Amino acid sequence: MNQRGFSTILAVIGAALLGLAAATFIMDWVVVDVNVPEDDIRIVAPVPLVLADIALAFMPEEAMEEAEVPPELTAQRDAILAGLEELLTLEDATLVSVTTPEETVDVSVDDGRLMVRVDAEDARVRCTLPLKGIHRTLKRWDWEEVDPRMALDILHAAPRGALVDVEDEDGVRVRISMW
C-alpha cells in the first residue's frame, strides 16, 4: 500500500473515532450506581437513553394492554397541569417542611426542579425532578393510555447530576444520575 492510501485510511479511522467520541458526549446517559458495602458489591451501569428509546420501540403493544389510567387521575388533568405551571413560575422556595423526632421531609423548588429530601432514622432520600420536562410530557399525554415513553421524555429533559439518591441505615446506596 502506498503512503497516500495508508494516510487516507488513518484519516477515515480517526474521523470515525472522533465522531463516536462526539456522539458519546452529546447523548443523554443514565448512570445507575449501586453500592452494597456489607457484601463488597459495587455496580455502576451507564446506559445511553437512546438504547431505552430503541428498546421501547420494539415493545409489543400487548405488554401495556392491562395498564389503565384511573378515571380519577384523568379528571384531575387540568388541575395537575395548572399546578405544574404555577410551580414553574416560582422562584426558589420551600413548599413543605415537616420535622418529627424520627424524620425530616423537605419539598422545594430550586432552579426549575422539584427537590424532595427525606432524612429518617433508617434512610436518606434525595430526589430531583425536572418540572419543565414533567409539564411538557404531561401536557402532550392523552391521559387515557399508560405510555412508558413518558418516563424517557422526562429523563431526556432532566439536568445533569443526581436524580435519585437513596441510602439506607446499613449503608446500601442506590444513585441514579444523568450524565
Side-chain angles (χ1 to χ4, degrees):
M1 178 178 290
N2 65 27
Q3 184 66 22
R4 182 174 168 99
F6 186 70
S7 63
T8 302
I9 289 173
L10 286 179
V12 169
I13 291 171
L17 290 174
L18 187 61
L20 182 60
T24 299
F25 286 109
I26 292 172
M27 270 192 265
D28 290 327
W29 290 73
V30 173
V31 179
V32 179
D33 182 351
V34 179
N35 188 10
V36 185
E38 185 176 288
D39 297 331
D40 200 28
I41 296 173
R42 175 96 190 259
I43 300 169
V44 179
V47 180
L49 280 181
V50 71
L51 287 182
D53 291 328
I54 292 167
L56 280 178
F58 290 101
M59 185 176 81
E61 287 185 30
E62 53 271 2
M64 296 305 295
E65 280 179 1
E66 305 271 332
E68 295 180 16
V69 177
E72 300 85 17
L73 180 63
T74 302
Q76 298 302 318
R77 176 190 189 274
D78 292 338
I80 292 168
L81 291 174
L84 282 168
E85 287 166 11
E86 279 300 311
L87 288 174
L88 284 166
T89 66
L90 286 179
E91 296 292 322
D92 296 353
T94 298
L95 303 175
V96 177
S97 185
V98 178
T99 302
T100 70
E102 294 83 27
E103 62 191 15
T104 300
V105 177
D106 292 309
V107 180
S108 60
V109 173
D110 183 7
D111 196 27
R113 298 169 296 174
L114 185 66
M115 313 287 284
V116 178
R117 294 176 188 88
V118 178
D119 290 307
E121 291 178 350
D122 59 349
R124 182 188 60 78
V125 177
R126 302 288 183 266
C127 184
T128 304
L129 302 170
L131 288 170
K132 192 178 281 185
I134 292 169
H135 180 260
R136 185 175 51 240
T137 300
L138 292 181
K139 199 169 182 179
R140 289 189 314 223
W141 183 35
D142 67 9
W143 292 77
E144 293 176 13
E145 295 181 18
V146 174
D147 184 358
R149 285 181 290 270
M150 291 172 54
L152 292 177
D153 290 344
I154 293 168
L155 284 174
H156 281 294
R160 304 279 188 242
L163 297 177
V164 177
D165 189 351
V166 179
E167 185 173 359
D168 74 6
E169 61 189 340
D170 297 326
V172 176
R173 185 174 186 184
V174 177
R175 174 182 259 181
I176 301 172
S177 304
M178 286 299 297
W179 182 77

